[in-house]
Amino acid sequence: MPNQRAPGQKLLPIAVDERFLRELDAGLARAGYRNRSQFIRDAIIEKLMRVGIPLPKELALPPHRIGKGGGLPEKSVTQPITHPNMH
């Protein structure tokens, strides 16, 4: 079946304002992302790293989806994240 989550994957639904979602969607392509999930995953990882919570690199990769083609997304946090405010 296409678009099924692989075993061990969990869905993380969040509620956001409609305007916030429109702004997010408008900025995704400009930021080099093809989908919301990868952007949100990267944002969470970046925030955790900024506050000193390290994560294994493999957690930054997009999860495998049953019925979906492979390949890394255009932008992915597979290398250490450098943030303009981090030294």
Side-chain angles (χ1 to χ4, degrees), residues 23-77:
E23 294 293 326
L24 172 64
D25 287 344
L28 287 178
R30 288 193 314 263
Y33 288 89
R34 290 183 281 186
N35 64 65
R36 291 178 193 155
S37 293
Q38 187 62 45
F39 177 82
I40 292 169
R41 191 172 18 261
D42 283 358
I44 291 169
I45 292 166
E46 182 178 329
K47 179 67 172 185
L48 289 173
M49 291 178 70
R50 199 176 321 153
V51 298
I53 301 171
L55 291 174
K57 283 184 181 180
E58 65 271 10
L59 292 181
L61 297 174
H64 173 72
R65 300 247 339 200
I66 297 171
K68 284 280 195 173
L72 288 177
E74 201 169 296
K75 185 166 186 173
S76 177
V77 208

